[in-house]
Amino acid sequence: MHRDETFRRALPLVPARTALLVVDMQRAFVEAGQALEVPAARNVVPRIQELLAIFREKGLPVVFTEFTYSPAAPLLVGELHPEHRPAVPGAPTGFGFPSSSCLLGEDNLRVVSELAPRADELVVSKHYYDGFNGTVLDGALRARGVTTLAVTGTMTDICVLATVIGGFNREYRLVVVEDAVATLWPEIQRATLDIIRRAYARVLSAKELADELAGW
């Protein structure tokens, strides 16, 4: 049983204290042909663009995360996902092979140009799935008086979910924008959004979020 009404009452959207969080919409995940390509992530770019325009027009905070791998910090994620490790000259690249995906210093690390952060917008470099783990994200949001996060990005079941849980554990009120998050398979998208709406956050469409922000 969903608790939509309970969540709506407990997690009211307070526009003046709401930030937009764009999770890992990097070239390494969005662009065709990348070793860790998420094709559906390209489909949500227009919805994220719409929300960026709304938040920027209203002067509300916008924050981006970028997953970053460095051989100087050979964390477990590099063993589980070898694509992040440096490509070996002359060796095969692609899914399952070292491909310099999100590797520190590589161009594919950056947010796609269609969603490019502005100079005054925070870009959080993270080394884990959770955007709060070991980063300045929590402190930066609290310094701006943010209590609610509208979450977008990729992948819904990995970095988005981990960041939502990280925010929930820090008492943030969360909204996940269902048509502005993406992962590899529709059934996993549905299942993850079901988990989120039952335990962690409100799940709204981009239009529903825009409507709630419209009066501010």
Side-chain angles (χ1 to χ4, degrees), residues 86-93 97-98:
V88 178
T93 58
F97 298 98

Side-chain angles (χ1 to χ4, degrees), residues 28 34-36 67 69 71 81-89 92-94 97-109:
Q34 294 286 336
L36 291 175
F67 176 79
Y69 184 78
H81 302 282
E83 298 85 0
H84 294 307
R85 300 203 302 267
V88 178
T93 58
F97 298 98
S99 301
S100 301
S101 182
C102 300
L103 186 68
L104 186 65
E106 294 289 326
D107 287 341
N108 67 42
L109 178 70

